Structure formats: C-alpha cells, structure tokens
Coordinates of all heavy atoms in Angstrom, one line a residue:
M14 N 1.4 -43.8 53.6 CA 1.4 -42.5 54.1 C 0.0 -42.2 54.6 O -1.0 -42.7 54.1 CB 1.9 -41.5 53.1 CG 0.9 -41.2 51.9 SD 1.8 -40.1 50.8 CE 0.9 -40.6 49.3
H15 N 0.0 -41.2 55.6 CA -1.4 -40.8 56.0 C -1.9 -39.5 55.3 O -1.1 -38.7 55.0 CB -1.4 -40.6 57.5 CG -2.7 -40.5 58.2 ND1 -3.5 -41.7 58.5 CD2 -3.6 -39.5 58.4 CE1 -4.7 -41.3 58.9 NE2 -4.7 -39.9 58.9
V16 N -3.1 -39.6 54.9 CA -3.7 -38.4 54.1 C -5.0 -37.9 54.9 O -5.9 -38.7 55.3 CB -4.1 -38.8 52.7 CG1 -4.8 -37.7 51.9 CG2 -2.9 -39.5 52.0
K17 N -5.0 -36.6 54.9 CA -6.1 -35.9 55.5 C -6.5 -34.8 54.6 O -5.8 -33.9 54.1 CB -5.9 -35.2 56.8 CG -5.4 -36.1 58.0 CD -5.1 -35.4 59.1 CE -4.7 -36.4 60.3 NZ -4.4 -35.7 61.6
V18 N -7.9 -34.8 54.2 CA -8.5 -33.8 53.3 C -9.5 -33.1 54.2 O -10.5 -33.7 54.6 CB -9.0 -34.4 52.1 CG1 -9.6 -33.3 51.2 CG2 -8.0 -35.3 51.3
I19 N -9.4 -31.8 54.3 CA -10.2 -31.1 55.3 C -10.8 -29.8 54.6 O -10.1 -29.1 53.8 CB -9.4 -30.5 56.4 CG1 -8.8 -31.7 57.2 CG2 -10.2 -29.7 57.4 CD1 -7.7 -31.4 58.1
S20 N -11.9 -29.5 54.8 CA -12.6 -28.4 54.1 C -13.3 -27.7 55.4 O -13.2 -28.2 56.5 CB -13.8 -28.7 53.2 OG -14.9 -29.2 53.8
P21 N -13.8 -26.4 55.2 CA -14.2 -25.7 56.3 C -15.5 -26.3 57.0 O -15.8 -26.2 58.2 CB -14.7 -24.3 55.8 CG -13.7 -24.1 54.5 CD -13.5 -25.6 54.1
E22 N -16.2 -27.2 56.2 CA -17.4 -27.8 56.7 C -17.1 -29.1 57.5 O -17.8 -29.3 58.4 CB -18.3 -28.2 55.5 CG -18.9 -26.8 54.8 CD -18.0 -26.3 53.8 OE1 -17.2 -27.1 53.2 OE2 -18.0 -25.1 53.5
R23 N -16.0 -29.9 57.0 CA -15.9 -31.3 57.5 C -14.5 -31.9 57.1 O -13.9 -31.4 56.1 CB -17.0 -32.1 57.2 CG -17.3 -32.4 55.8 CD -18.5 -33.2 55.4 NE -18.6 -33.3 54.0 CZ -18.3 -34.3 53.2 NH1 -17.8 -35.4 53.9 NH2 -18.5 -34.3 52.0
A24 N -14.2 -32.9 57.7 CA -13.0 -33.7 57.2 C -13.6 -34.6 56.0 O -14.6 -35.3 56.3 CB -12.5 -34.6 58.3
V25 N -13.0 -34.5 54.9 CA -13.6 -35.3 53.8 C -12.9 -36.6 53.5 O -13.6 -37.6 53.2 CB -13.4 -34.4 52.4 CG1 -14.0 -35.1 51.3 CG2 -13.9 -33.0 52.6
F26 N -11.7 -36.8 54.0 CA -11.0 -37.9 53.8 C -9.9 -38.1 55.0 O -9.2 -37.0 55.2 CB -10.3 -38.1 52.5 CG -9.5 -39.6 52.4 CD1 -10.2 -40.7 51.9 CD2 -8.1 -39.7 52.7 CE1 -9.6 -41.8 51.7 CE2 -7.5 -40.8 52.5 CZ -8.2 -41.9 52.0
D27 N -9.7 -39.2 55.6 CA -8.7 -39.3 56.6 C -8.3 -40.9 56.7 O -9.1 -41.6 57.1 CB -9.3 -38.8 58.0 CG -8.2 -38.9 59.1 OD1 -7.0 -39.3 58.8 OD2 -8.5 -38.4 60.2
G28 N -7.2 -41.3 56.1 CA -6.8 -42.6 56.1 C -5.4 -42.7 55.4 O -4.8 -41.9 55.0
E29 N -5.1 -44.1 55.2 CA -3.8 -44.5 54.6 C -4.0 -44.4 53.0 O -5.0 -44.8 52.6 CB -3.3 -45.8 55.1 CG -3.0 -45.7 56.5 CD -1.9 -44.9 56.9 OE1 -0.8 -44.9 56.2 OE2 -1.9 -44.2 57.8
A30 N -2.9 -44.0 52.3 CA -3.0 -44.0 50.9 C -1.7 -44.3 50.2 O -0.6 -44.1 50.9 CB -3.5 -42.7 50.4
E31 N -1.7 -44.7 49.0 CA -0.5 -44.9 48.2 C 0.1 -43.7 47.4 O 1.2 -43.5 47.2 CB -0.6 -46.1 47.2 CG -0.9 -47.4 47.9 CD -2.3 -47.8 48.0 OE1 -3.0 -47.5 47.2 OE2 -2.6 -48.3 49.1
S32 N -0.9 -42.8 47.0 CA -0.5 -41.7 46.2 C -1.6 -40.6 46.3 O -2.8 -40.9 46.5 CB -0.2 -42.0 44.8 OG -1.4 -42.4 44.1
V33 N -1.2 -39.5 46.0 CA -2.1 -38.3 46.0 C -1.7 -37.5 44.8 O -0.5 -37.1 44.5 CB -2.0 -37.4 47.2 CG1 -2.9 -36.1 47.0 CG2 -2.3 -38.2 48.5
V34 N -2.7 -37.0 43.9 CA -2.5 -36.1 42.8 C -3.4 -34.9 43.0 O -4.6 -35.1 43.2 CB -2.8 -36.7 41.4 CG1 -2.5 -35.7 40.3 CG2 -1.8 -38.0 41.2
A35 N -2.8 -33.7 43.1 CA -3.5 -32.5 43.6 C -3.3 -31.4 42.5 O -2.3 -31.3 42.0 CB -3.2 -32.1 45.0
P36 N -4.4 -30.6 42.3 CA -4.2 -29.3 41.4 C -3.5 -28.2 42.3 O -4.2 -27.5 43.0 CB -5.7 -29.0 41.1 CG -6.4 -29.4 42.3 CD -5.7 -30.6 42.8
A37 N -2.2 -28.0 42.2 CA -1.6 -26.9 42.7 C -1.9 -25.7 41.9 O -2.5 -25.8 40.9 CB 0.0 -27.0 42.7
Y38 N -1.5 -24.6 42.4 CA -1.9 -23.3 41.7 C -1.3 -23.1 40.3 O -1.9 -22.4 39.4 CB -1.5 -22.0 42.6 CG -0.1 -21.7 42.5 CD1 0.5 -20.9 41.8 CD2 0.6 -22.5 43.4 CE1 1.8 -20.6 41.7 CE2 2.1 -22.2 43.5 CZ 2.6 -21.3 42.7 OH 4.0 -21.2 42.7
D39 N -0.2 -23.8 40.0 CA 0.4 -23.7 38.7 C 0.5 -25.1 38.0 O 1.4 -25.2 37.1 CB 1.8 -23.1 39.0 CG 2.7 -23.8 39.8 OD1 2.3 -24.8 40.4 OD2 3.9 -23.5 39.9
G40 N -0.3 -26.1 38.4 CA -0.2 -27.3 37.7 C -0.3 -28.4 38.7 O -0.5 -28.2 39.9
L41 N -0.4 -29.8 38.2 CA -0.6 -30.9 39.1 C 0.7 -31.2 39.9 O 1.7 -31.1 39.4 CB -1.1 -32.1 38.2 CG -2.4 -32.0 37.6 CD1 -2.7 -33.3 36.7 CD2 -3.5 -31.8 38.6
V42 N 0.5 -31.8 41.0 CA 1.5 -32.3 41.8 C 1.2 -33.6 42.3 O 0.0 -33.9 42.7 CB 1.8 -31.3 43.1 CG1 0.7 -31.2 43.9 CG2 3.0 -31.7 43.8
G43 N 2.1 -34.6 42.2 CA 2.0 -35.9 42.7 C 2.8 -36.3 44.0 O 4.0 -35.7 44.0
I44 N 2.3 -36.8 44.9 CA 2.9 -37.2 46.1 C 2.8 -38.7 46.3 O 1.8 -39.3 46.2 CB 2.2 -36.5 47.3 CG1 2.0 -35.0 47.0 CG2 2.9 -36.8 48.6 CD1 3.3 -34.2 47.1
L45 N 4.0 -39.3 46.6 CA 4.1 -40.8 46.8 C 4.7 -40.9 48.4 O 5.1 -39.9 49.0 CB 5.1 -41.4 45.9 CG 4.6 -41.5 44.4 CD1 5.7 -42.0 43.6 CD2 3.3 -42.2 44.4
N46 N 4.6 -42.1 48.8 CA 5.1 -42.5 50.2 C 6.6 -41.9 50.3 O 7.4 -42.0 49.5 CB 5.0 -44.1 50.2 CG 5.1 -44.4 51.8 OD1 4.9 -43.6 52.7 ND2 5.6 -45.6 52.0
R47 N 6.8 -41.4 51.5 CA 8.1 -40.8 52.0 C 8.6 -39.6 51.2 O 9.8 -39.5 51.0 CB 9.1 -41.9 52.1 CG 8.9 -42.9 53.2 CD 10.1 -43.9 53.3 NE 10.0 -44.8 52.1 CZ 9.7 -46.1 52.3 NH1 9.3 -46.6 53.5 NH2 9.7 -46.9 51.2
H48 N 7.5 -38.8 50.7 CA 7.9 -37.6 50.0 C 8.6 -36.6 50.9 O 8.4 -36.5 52.1 CB 6.6 -37.0 49.3 CG 6.8 -36.0 48.4 ND1 7.3 -34.7 48.6 CD2 6.7 -36.0 47.0 CE1 7.3 -34.0 47.5 NE2 7.0 -34.9 46.6
A49 N 9.6 -35.8 50.3 CA 10.2 -34.8 51.1 C 9.2 -33.7 51.6 O 8.2 -33.6 50.9 CB 11.3 -34.1 50.2
P50 N 9.5 -33.0 52.7 CA 8.7 -32.1 53.0 C 8.3 -31.0 52.0 O 9.2 -30.7 51.2 CB 9.5 -31.3 54.1 CG 10.4 -32.4 54.7 CD 10.7 -33.2 53.5
F51 N 7.1 -30.6 51.9 CA 6.7 -29.9 50.8 C 5.4 -29.0 51.2 O 4.7 -29.5 52.0 CB 6.2 -30.8 49.7 CG 5.8 -30.3 48.4 CD1 6.6 -29.6 47.5 CD2 4.4 -30.4 48.0 CE1 6.2 -29.1 46.3 CE2 4.0 -29.9 46.8 CZ 4.9 -29.1 46.0
L52 N 5.3 -27.8 50.6 CA 4.2 -27.0 50.8 C 3.8 -26.4 49.6 O 4.7 -25.7 48.9 CB 4.4 -26.0 52.0 CG 3.3 -25.0 52.4 CD1 2.1 -25.8 53.0 CD2 3.8 -23.9 53.4
T53 N 2.6 -26.3 49.2 CA 2.0 -25.6 48.0 C 0.7 -25.0 48.1 O -0.1 -25.5 48.9 CB 2.2 -26.5 46.7 OG1 2.0 -25.6 45.5 CG2 1.1 -27.5 46.7
L54 N 0.3 -24.0 47.5 CA -1.0 -23.3 47.5 C -1.8 -24.3 46.3 O -1.2 -24.8 45.4 CB -1.0 -21.9 46.9 CG -0.3 -20.9 47.8 CD1 -0.3 -19.6 47.2 CD2 -1.2 -21.0 49.2
L55 N -3.0 -24.5 46.6 CA -4.0 -25.2 45.7 C -4.8 -24.2 44.8 O -5.1 -23.1 45.1 CB -4.9 -26.1 46.5 CG -4.3 -27.2 47.3 CD1 -5.3 -27.8 48.3 CD2 -3.6 -28.2 46.4
G56 N -5.0 -24.8 43.6 CA -5.8 -24.2 42.6 C -7.2 -24.8 42.7 O -7.6 -25.3 43.7
E57 N -7.9 -24.7 41.5 CA -9.2 -25.4 41.4 C -8.9 -26.7 40.5 O -8.2 -26.7 39.5 CB -10.2 -24.6 40.6 CG -10.6 -23.5 41.4 CD -11.8 -22.6 40.8 OE1 -12.6 -23.2 39.9 OE2 -11.9 -21.5 41.0
G58 N -9.7 -27.8 40.9 CA -9.6 -29.0 40.1 C -9.9 -30.2 40.8 O -10.6 -30.2 41.8
V59 N -9.4 -31.4 40.4 CA -9.7 -32.7 40.8 C -8.5 -33.1 41.7 O -7.4 -33.2 41.3 CB -10.0 -33.6 39.8 CG1 -10.2 -35.0 40.2 CG2 -11.2 -33.1 38.9
L60 N -8.9 -33.6 43.0 CA -7.9 -34.2 43.8 C -8.1 -35.7 43.8 O -9.2 -36.0 44.0 CB -8.0 -33.7 45.2 CG -7.2 -34.4 46.3 CD1 -5.8 -34.1 46.3 CD2 -7.9 -34.0 47.6
R61 N -7.1 -36.6 43.5 CA -7.2 -38.0 43.5 C -6.4 -38.6 44.6 O -5.1 -38.3 44.7 CB -6.8 -38.6 42.1 CG -7.6 -38.0 41.0 CD -7.3 -38.6 39.7 NE -7.8 -38.0 38.6 CZ -9.0 -38.1 38.3 NH1 -9.8 -39.0 38.8 NH2 -9.6 -37.5 37.2
V62 N -6.9 -39.5 45.5 CA -6.2 -40.2 46.5 C -6.4 -41.7 46.3 O -7.6 -42.2 46.3 CB -6.9 -39.8 47.9 CG1 -6.1 -40.6 48.9 CG2 -6.8 -38.3 48.1
R63 N -5.3 -42.3 45.9 CA -5.3 -43.7 45.6 C -4.9 -44.5 46.9 O -4.0 -44.3 47.6 CB -4.3 -44.1 44.6 CG -4.6 -45.5 44.0 CD -3.7 -45.9 42.9 NE -2.6 -46.6 43.5 CZ -1.4 -46.7 43.1 NH1 -1.1 -46.1 42.0 NH2 -0.5 -47.4 43.8
H64 N -6.0 -45.4 47.3 CA -5.8 -46.2 48.5 C -6.4 -47.5 48.4 O -7.5 -47.8 47.8 CB -6.5 -45.4 49.7 CG -7.9 -45.0 49.4 ND1 -9.0 -45.9 49.9 CD2 -8.5 -44.0 48.8 CE1 -10.1 -45.3 49.6 NE2 -9.9 -44.3 48.9
A65 N -5.7 -48.5 49.0 CA -6.3 -49.9 49.0 C -6.9 -50.4 47.8 O -8.1 -50.9 47.7 CB -7.2 -50.0 50.2
G66 N -6.3 -50.2 46.6 CA -6.9 -50.4 45.2 C -8.0 -49.7 44.8 O -8.6 -50.0 43.6
A67 N -8.4 -48.6 45.4 CA -9.5 -47.8 45.0 C -9.0 -46.3 44.9 O -7.8 -46.0 45.4 CB -10.6 -47.8 46.0
T68 N -9.7 -45.5 44.3 CA -9.3 -44.0 44.2 C -10.5 -43.2 44.6 O -11.7 -43.4 44.1 CB -8.9 -43.7 42.7 OG1 -7.9 -44.5 42.4 CG2 -8.5 -42.1 42.5
S69 N -10.2 -42.3 45.6 CA -11.3 -41.4 46.0 C -11.0 -40.0 45.2 O -9.9 -39.7 45.0 CB -11.1 -41.1 47.5 OG -11.6 -42.2 48.2
V70 N -12.1 -39.5 44.7 CA -12.0 -38.3 43.8 C -12.7 -37.1 44.4 O -13.9 -37.4 44.9 CB -12.4 -38.6 42.4 CG1 -12.4 -37.4 41.5 CG2 -11.8 -39.8 41.8
F71 N -12.1 -36.0 44.6 CA -12.8 -34.8 45.2 C -12.6 -33.7 44.3 O -11.5 -33.6 43.7 CB -12.1 -34.4 46.4 CG -12.0 -35.7 47.4 CD1 -10.9 -36.4 47.5 CD2 -13.0 -36.0 48.3 CE1 -10.7 -37.5 48.3 CE2 -12.9 -37.2 49.0 CZ -11.8 -37.9 49.1
T72 N -13.5 -32.6 44.3 CA -13.5 -31.5 43.6 C -13.0 -30.4 44.7 O -13.7 -30.3 45.7 CB -14.7 -31.0 43.0 OG1 -15.1 -32.0 42.0 CG2 -14.6 -29.7 42.1
I73 N -11.8 -29.8 44.4 CA -11.5 -28.8 45.4 C -11.1 -27.4 44.8 O -11.0 -27.3 43.6 CB -10.1 -29.3 46.2 CG1 -8.9 -29.5 45.1 CG2 -10.4 -30.7 46.9 CD1 -7.7 -29.8 45.9
A74 N -11.0 -26.5 45.6 CA -10.8 -25.0 45.2 C -10.1 -24.4 46.3 O -10.5 -24.4 47.5 CB -12.0 -24.3 44.7
G75 N -8.9 -23.8 45.9 CA -8.2 -23.1 47.0 C -7.6 -23.8 48.2 O -7.9 -24.9 48.3
G76 N -6.9 -23.1 49.0 CA -6.2 -23.7 50.1 C -4.8 -24.1 50.0 O -4.1 -23.6 49.2
F77 N -4.3 -25.1 50.7 CA -2.9 -25.5 50.6 C -2.8 -27.0 50.8 O -3.6 -27.6 51.4 CB -2.0 -24.7 51.6 CG -2.3 -25.0 53.0 CD1 -1.5 -26.0 53.5 CD2 -3.2 -24.3 53.7 CE1 -1.8 -26.2 55.0 CE2 -3.4 -24.5 55.1 CZ -2.7 -25.5 55.7
L78 N -1.6 -27.4 50.4 CA -1.3 -29.0 50.6 C 0.2 -28.9 51.2 O 1.1 -28.2 50.9 CB -1.1 -29.6 49.2 CG -0.7 -31.1 49.3 CD1 -1.5 -31.9 48.2 CD2 0.8 -31.3 49.1
Q79 N 0.3 -29.7 52.4 CA 1.5 -29.7 53.1 C 1.9 -31.2 53.2 O 1.0 -32.2 53.6 CB 1.3 -29.3 54.5 CG 2.5 -29.5 55.5 CD 2.2 -29.1 56.8 OE1 1.0 -29.4 57.4 NE2 3.2 -28.5 57.5
V80 N 3.1 -31.5 53.0 CA 3.6 -32.9 53.3 C 4.7 -32.8 54.3 O 5.7 -32.0 54.3 CB 4.3 -33.5 52.0 CG1 4.9 -34.8 52.3 CG2 3.4 -33.6 50.9
A81 N 4.6 -33.5 55.4 CA 5.5 -33.6 56.6 C 5.4 -34.8 57.4 O 4.3 -35.3 57.6 CB 5.3 -32.4 57.5
D82 N 6.6 -35.6 57.6 CA 6.5 -36.7 58.4 C 5.7 -37.8 57.9 O 4.9 -38.4 58.5 CB 6.1 -36.3 59.9 CG 7.0 -35.5 60.5 OD1 8.3 -35.6 60.3 OD2 6.7 -34.7 61.4
N83 N 5.7 -38.0 56.5 CA 4.9 -39.0 55.8 C 3.4 -38.9 56.0 O 2.6 -39.8 55.9 CB 5.3 -40.5 56.1 CG 5.1 -41.3 54.9 OD1 5.4 -41.0 53.8 ND2 4.8 -42.7 55.3
T84 N 3.0 -37.5 56.2 CA 1.5 -37.2 56.3 C 1.4 -36.1 55.3 O 1.9 -35.2 55.1 CB 1.2 -36.7 57.6 OG1 1.4 -37.7 58.6 CG2 -0.3 -36.2 57.8
V85 N 0.2 -36.3 54.5 CA -0.2 -35.3 53.5 C -1.5 -34.6 54.1 O -2.5 -35.3 54.4 CB -0.5 -35.9 52.1 CG1 -1.1 -34.8 51.2 CG2 0.7 -36.6 51.6
R86 N -1.5 -33.3 54.2 CA -2.6 -32.5 54.7 C -3.1 -31.7 53.5 O -2.4 -30.7 53.1 CB -2.3 -31.6 55.9 CG -2.0 -32.5 57.2 CD -1.7 -31.5 58.2 NE -1.1 -32.3 59.5 CZ 0.1 -32.8 59.6 NH1 1.0 -32.6 58.8 NH2 0.3 -33.5 60.6
V87 N -4.4 -31.8 53.2 CA -4.9 -31.0 52.1 C -6.0 -30.2 52.8 O -7.1 -30.6 53.4 CB -5.6 -31.7 51.1 CG1 -6.3 -30.9 50.0 CG2 -4.5 -32.6 50.3
V88 N -5.8 -28.8 53.0 CA -6.7 -28.0 53.6 C -7.2 -27.1 52.6 O -6.6 -26.3 52.1 CB -6.1 -27.2 54.7 CG1 -7.0 -26.2 55.4 CG2 -5.5 -28.1 55.7
A89 N -8.5 -27.4 52.1 CA -9.1 -26.7 50.9 C -10.2 -25.8 51.4 O -10.9 -26.0 52.4 CB -9.7 -27.8 50.0
D90 N -10.3 -24.6 50.7 CA -11.4 -23.7 50.8 C -12.7 -24.3 50.6 O -13.7 -24.0 51.2 CB -11.1 -22.4 50.2 CG -9.9 -21.7 50.5 OD1 -9.4 -21.8 51.4 OD2 -9.4 -20.9 49.6
H91 N -12.7 -25.2 49.6 CA -14.0 -25.9 49.2 C -13.5 -27.3 48.8 O -12.5 -27.5 48.0 CB -14.7 -25.1 48.0 CG -15.7 -25.9 47.4 ND1 -17.0 -25.9 48.2 CD2 -15.8 -26.7 46.4 CE1 -17.9 -26.8 47.4 NE2 -17.1 -27.2 46.3
A92 N -14.2 -28.3 49.3 CA -13.9 -29.7 48.9 C -15.2 -30.5 49.0 O -16.0 -30.4 49.9 CB -12.9 -30.3 49.8
E93 N -15.5 -31.3 47.8 CA -16.6 -32.2 47.9 C -16.3 -33.4 47.1 O -15.5 -33.5 46.2 CB -17.8 -31.5 47.3 CG -17.7 -31.0 45.7 CD -18.9 -30.3 45.4 OE1 -19.4 -29.4 46.1 OE2 -19.4 -30.7 44.2
T94 N -16.9 -34.5 47.5 CA -16.7 -35.8 46.8 C -17.4 -35.8 45.6 O -18.5 -35.3 45.4 CB -17.2 -37.0 47.8 OG1 -16.7 -36.8 49.1 CG2 -17.0 -38.3 47.3
T95 N -16.7 -36.3 44.5 CA -17.4 -36.5 43.3 C -17.6 -38.0 42.9 O -17.1 -38.9 43.6 CB -16.4 -35.9 42.1 OG1 -15.2 -36.4 42.1 CG2 -16.4 -34.4 42.4

C-alpha cells in the first residue's frame, strides 16, 4: 500500500509500506494492505510506518487519517520524525 504522511510544513513520508499504526483520537488504529475505506481523527502520539524491513517513527498531533484505494493519507496538524 502507498503511505503519505503530511504536515503543514512538508511531506514527512511518501512511499510503499506493509503496515501503519496510528494514534486515533480514541485509541490506536492499525492499517494493513487492502484495508477497507476508513477515515478517523487523529490524537497525539506515535505513528509507526513499517516498510522494507524498517520502521519509520513520527510524533504526530491532530489531523486525520484516510484509507482509500490501498492508499493511506495521514494529514497531521503537527508531525516530526523521531
């Protein structure tokens, strides 16, 4: 699946991934390949994107996560690499 992590300042991640774990407003949400269409508000916490045997970790706050057509879009009010 394709994953895009975007903050107001810049695109933080744009590439293929095996899984995403994100802090939704009411708990963690996990996304795998071919996930059903989905939309949720984001809270504060750690976003993990597993890709090519590695994991990218970001601290995010606010925004939303959308899954559509095997693409995950994370549009965060604040996002930084940790």
Side-chain angles (χ1 to χ4, degrees):
M14 72 184 153
H15 194 81
V16 177
K17 295 180 182 182
V18 180
I19 303 165
S20 74
E22 295 84 28
R23 63 187 173 98
V25 183
F26 182 89
D27 189 353
E29 296 298 312
E31 290 94 40
S32 69
V33 175
V34 176
Y38 72 98
D39 61 351
L41 293 176
V42 61
I44 308 293
L45 297 174
N46 197 24
R47 292 187 286 256
H48 194 285
F51 181 71
L52 180 67
T53 189
L54 294 174
L55 294 171
E57 290 186 30
V59 176
L60 170 73
R61 298 180 193 281
V62 179
R63 197 177 93 204
H64 55 95
T68 301
S69 295
V70 180
F71 310 95
T72 301
I73 64 169
F77 67 91
L78 178 144
Q79 176 193 37
V80 181
D82 300 324
N83 211 35
T84 299
V85 178
R86 289 177 190 86
V87 176
V88 180
D90 295 338
H91 174 77
E93 63 183 49
T94 306
T95 56

